[in-house]
Amino acid sequence: MHRALTAHYRLLAVAYRRYVDADFRLMKARNELRSFFPVDRAPYRRTIGAPGSAVRRLHKERDQALLRFQSAYAKFKTAKARVHQREASRRITLLLSVQGE
């Protein structure tokens, strides 16, 4: 990997790991809710998504982590394109022609 891309790649890896962790915590909280409230006795949905609820907080954290990951990916793609553009401009193409008698 190009030296200029390593920092962007590390940022992308960290952002992805944080998103996966946040998604895991949200899935775990949802599974705990399912075990606490059986399917036939589902609670009033607005109480789970209330402004101070833990599930809502976890959902917001996951959404923010996803946005950070998408932003890091866009920055990585931009940096990669910039590196490729620089490398392409450095290449010198020599055209040789042979003239016969």
Side-chain angles (χ1 to χ4, degrees):
M1 181 171 293
H2 196 275
R3 189 179 57 167
L5 292 178
T6 55
H8 290 284
Y9 186 76
R10 278 190 305 237
L11 176 66
L12 182 65
V14 168
Y16 177 71
R17 185 70 205 150
R18 287 181 181 165
Y19 168 71
V20 169
D21 289 342
D23 190 48
F24 176 75
R25 287 192 306 270
L26 179 62
M27 285 190 321
K28 184 177 174 186
R30 286 179 178 169
N31 288 337
E32 288 174 359
L33 278 176
R34 285 189 192 113
S35 66
F36 189 71
F37 295 109
V39 178
D40 58 341
R41 289 189 50 209
Y44 184 55
R45 287 200 177 271
R46 293 186 77 186
T47 58
I48 292 175
S53 76
V55 174
R56 185 175 185 143
R57 181 181 50 79
L58 290 171
H59 195 280
K60 282 185 179 182
E61 286 176 6
R62 196 227 18 203
D63 285 348
Q64 289 172 354
L66 178 60
L67 287 174
R68 281 190 220 106
F69 173 63
Q70 290 171 337
S71 174
Y73 180 69
K75 289 178 183 181
F76 176 73
K77 257 176 58 172
T78 303
K80 192 174 182 181
R82 194 178 320 122
V83 166
H84 287 305
Q85 185 179 16
R86 275 191 218 136
E87 288 177 355
S89 67
R90 287 185 197 161
R91 293 184 191 139
I92 299 172
T93 305
L94 297 176
L95 299 175
L96 302 174
S97 63
V98 178
Q99 294 179 348
E101 290 181 31

